[in-house]
Amino acid sequence: MSAPDGYAPYHRSSRYLELIGPLYEAADDPARVGLRIDERHTNGRGFLHAGLLVAVADTIMGHTAQRALGPDARLVTVSLTTDFTSSAQAGDWVEGHATIRRAGRRLSFGASEFTVAGRLNLAASGVFALQRQAGAE
């Protein structure tokens, strides 16, 4: 299954994203991503496994915060809060978008929402800490 027009493979892939993906990003906004759900992504009842979206939300919020802070910023996740409001099934296109509420010197605060066919599927928020470089005070 492919992505809709206007999406390209996610530019910051990792072994984990390759395992659960493919993940796509909007050509005009890397903070907007999408994933076509297949059988690998479903739980025993045939619905999208919630943990998959948590992982993607964490990824796009962290990467969006990093872009806000600059290319040398290295962040680690401190906290994630998620609310699931609907479900998805194999064949569905799930689209998510991340925003940064505040990017500070030590902590950044992000939010993301994921939708399926226009209905909210997941709302998430996250806190990300700037990792200190070795030798930095």
Side-chain angles (χ1 to χ4, degrees):
M1 293 186 197
S2 62
D5 288 341
Y7 281 85
Y10 194 67
H11 76 284
R12 294 220 21 215
S13 194
S14 67
R15 288 186 289 176
Y16 185 69
L17 290 179
E18 289 171 8
L19 179 68
I20 64 174
L23 184 64
Y24 298 92
E25 66 183 46
D28 61 346
D29 182 3
R32 195 173 76 211
V33 301
L35 176 73
R36 180 76 61 191
I37 305 306
D38 66 34
E39 298 296 327
R40 300 173 301 141
H41 303 131
T42 60
N43 60 25
R45 295 181 301 147
F47 296 110
L48 171 63
H49 193 285
L52 175 76
L53 284 189
V54 172
V56 175
D58 179 35
T59 298
I60 68 166
M61 286 188 290
H63 287 168
T64 302
Q66 183 180 21
R67 281 191 299 277
L69 293 169
D72 295 331
R74 296 293 177 253
L75 299 169
V76 294
T77 305
V78 174
S79 172
L80 287 174
T81 301
T82 55
D83 296 307
F84 299 93
T85 58
S86 68
S87 61
Q89 298 177 342
D92 287 342
W93 174 256
V94 177
E95 186 172 291
H97 187 261
T99 58
I100 300 306
R101 295 178 176 159
R102 182 175 184 274
R105 289 186 344 200
R106 292 189 183 139
L107 296 175
S108 293
F109 300 83
S112 62
E113 289 188 346
F114 288 77
T115 59
V116 176
R119 75 180 184 282
L120 184 65
N121 184 257
L122 168 76
S125 61
V127 180
F128 303 86
L130 191 61
Q131 242 183 347
R132 295 179 65 174
Q133 300 291 333
E137 295 286 323

